[in-house]
Amino acid sequence: MLVFMTGGTGFVGKNLTRVLTEKGHEVTILTRPGEGRPPLPAGARYLEGDPTRPGPWQERAASHETFINLAGASIFSRWTERRKRDLLESRILTTRNLVEAIRGRRKGIAHLLSTSAVGYYGFHDEGDLYEGNGPGGDFLARLAVDWEAEADRAREAGVRVAICRFGIVLGKGGGALEPLERLFRLYAGSPVGSGRQWFSWIHEGDLARIFLYLMERTDLDGPFNCTAPGPVRNAEFTRTLADALRVRAFLPAVPGFLMRLVLGEFGGVILKGQKVLPGRLLKEGFHFRFPDLPSALEDLL
Ligand SMILES: NC(=O)c1ccc[n+]([C@@H]2O[C@H](COP(=O)([O-])OP(=O)(O)OC[C@H]3O[C@@H](n4cnc5c(N)ncnc54)[C@H](OP(=O)(O)O)[C@@H]3O)[C@@H](O)[C@H]2O)c1
C-alpha cells in the first residue's frame, strides 16, 4: 500500500515506518525543512513540506491510499501560553491541511489513521474508560477533541477515519521510557505525588501492529484506545521499572507541589491520570503481544 505519513521522523513514526516497510508498504514521510533527519529503511522516502501550511506537498500526498497522521509539537515541556498555541496549531492545522489534501484526491478509496491521546478522557482517579466515554474539560482533553474533529471532517469526502487514542508509548530510543531509565539507573527513581494515579501505556511494537491491523481491517472506523490491557498505578509502574532495571527505587515520593512548581500546568498531567482500556480492539480480537507491564519492560530493557 502507498502510505503517506506526517510526523514520521518522530519516536513513534520511526518504528512504525520500519514495521510498515518490512511488510512491503511504501511510505512517504512529510517533514519540515531542516537538518538531522533519521536514515530511512528501503521502501521509505522523505517529502519536504510544512504540514501546518498548505503547499505543493498536498498534491503529492493526494496520490497515496493510506494516510497516517502523527505530527505534533511535544507536550513534554513547561506550558507557556505560546507553547500551548504551538501544541494546538501543530496538530489542528496539520490535520486540517492533510484532510484538504485527501479531499483533493480524484479517485480511489482512502483511509485516514489519525492520532489522538488518552488525554481525551480528562483525568479520573478511578473507573475504567472505554471509547464510548465522553471527553474531559482540561486543556489536553479539549486539544484531543479538536484534533479528532479535524480528522473526522475527512468522512465528508467518503474517507474511512480511524482515530488512535494513544496511551504513553513505551519504546526504545525515545519517548517517556528513555529519560526514566536514565533516572532510575542513577538510583533516583521514585513515585510521583500520591503514586495512586493511573498510567495507561502501550508497547511500541503493539502500537505498530495496531496500525497494521487497522490498515487491513477496512471495516473498522471511529476511535480506538491504543493502550495495553494492563494499565498500572504510578507506584506500581515505579516498582516494576525498578525491578526490570534491577535497581531499588528508594527515594521518597516526589511531592506534587514540586512538580507543579517546576513544570507548571504540565506537572499536573504527571500527577493525574486515567485508566484507559482497549475495549474495541479486544472485542475485535486484536492480540496484544505485551499486555502487561513486566513483559513489556523485559522486552524493552
Ligand atoms: N509518545 C507518546 O507517548 C505519545 C502519547 C500520546 C500521544 N502521542 C502523540 O503521537 C504523536 C507522535 O508521537 P511521538 O512521540 O512520535 O512525537 P515526536 O517524537 O515528538 O515526533 C512528532 C513529529 O511531529 C513533527 N512536529 C514536531 N513539532 C511540530 C510542529 N510544531 N509543527 C508540525 N510538525 C511538528 C516532527 O516532524 P518533522 O520535524 O519531521 O516535521 C516530529 O518528528 C504526537 O502527535 C504525540 O502527541 C504520543
Side-chain angles (χ1 to χ4, degrees):
M1 225 179 246
L2 289 177
V3 179
F4 186 86
M5 193 186 289
T6 70
T9 55
F11 161 60
V12 172
K14 276 187 283 188
N15 185 54
L16 184 55
T17 301
R18 185 182 55 75
V19 171
L20 290 175
T21 52
E22 277 171 9
K23 291 280 178 195
H25 298 292
E26 284 181 43
V27 184
T28 305
I29 294 173
L30 181 68
T31 180
R32 293 165 303 160
E35 304 289 311
R37 285 174 197 149
L40 289 178
R45 59 173 180 259
Y46 284 123
L47 171 65
E48 216 172 75
D50 183 347
T52 64
R53 290 161 193 224
W57 64 266
Q58 287 173 300
E59 207 173 317
R60 300 276 296 277
S63 60
H64 295 70
E65 303 161 79
T66 296
F67 298 82
I68 296 182
N69 184 29
L70 298 169
S74 173
I75 68 157
F76 297 103
S77 61
R78 201 182 162 88
W79 297 348
T80 58
E81 282 313 307
R82 167 130 196 231
R83 186 68 189 162
K84 281 182 165 177
R85 202 175 61 234
D86 283 350
L87 295 176
L88 263 166
E89 290 186 351
S90 61
R91 289 174 174 78
I92 305 302
L93 299 181
T94 292
T95 309
R96 187 172 298 166
N97 292 326
L98 181 63
V99 168
E100 277 311 308
I102 304 173
R103 289 164 74 111
R105 281 167 51 89
R106 278 179 282 279
K107 58 178 169 44
I109 297 165
H111 312 272
L112 170 60
L113 312 182
S114 200
T115 310
S116 180
V118 294
Y120 171 90
Y121 299 105
F123 302 113
H124 294 264
D125 292 338
E126 301 299 335
D128 297 348
L129 295 163
Y130 294 99
E131 289 85 352
N133 285 86
D138 61 281
F139 171 72
L140 278 188
R142 281 182 277 121
L143 171 59
V145 168
D146 291 351
W147 198 7
E148 294 188 10
E150 288 293 339
D152 277 334
R153 286 182 47 237
R155 288 178 204 284
E156 295 160 15
V159 177
R160 175 174 73 101
V161 180
I163 303 283
C164 300
R165 293 180 181 154
F166 293 8
I168 298 292
V169 185
L170 302 181
K172 291 178 185 155
L177 194 56
E178 201 176 54
L180 283 172
E181 185 184 347
R182 241 181 289 130
L183 209 64
F184 274 58
R185 286 203 191 278
L186 291 170
Y187 287 72
S190 51
V192 177
S194 71
R196 288 186 53 73
Q197 66 275 34
W198 283 101
F199 181 75
S200 298
W201 59 275
I202 183 150
H203 185 294
E204 62 176 354
D206 277 336
L207 184 60
R209 280 186 287 279
I210 290 172
F211 273 95
L212 281 173
Y213 183 78
L214 291 175
M215 280 167 69
E216 281 161 17
R217 287 287 309 270
T218 53
D219 57 317
L220 297 179
D221 68 355
F224 290 87
N225 290 341
C226 299
T227 57
V232 291
R233 293 186 190 271
N234 176 271
E236 188 181 340
F237 178 80
T238 307
R239 256 193 324 272
T240 314
L241 181 56
D243 285 352
L245 291 169
R246 305 200 174 27
V247 299
R248 278 169 53 112
F250 63 89
L251 292 179
V254 181
F257 78 86
L258 196 62
M259 295 299 293
R260 284 207 178 83
L261 198 69
V262 177
L263 294 172
E265 199 175 338
F266 173 59
V269 175
I270 299 170
L271 294 166
K272 295 179 254 175
Q274 55 281 105
K275 185 185 181 194
V276 178
L277 294 163
R280 288 193 67 201
L281 285 167
L282 289 175
K283 188 162 161 268
E284 294 297 337
F286 178 81
H287 172 73
F288 283 84
R289 214 172 275 173
F290 303 102
D292 57 71
L293 192 61
S295 68
L297 292 181
E298 193 183 318
D299 178 71
L300 293 170
L301 298 170

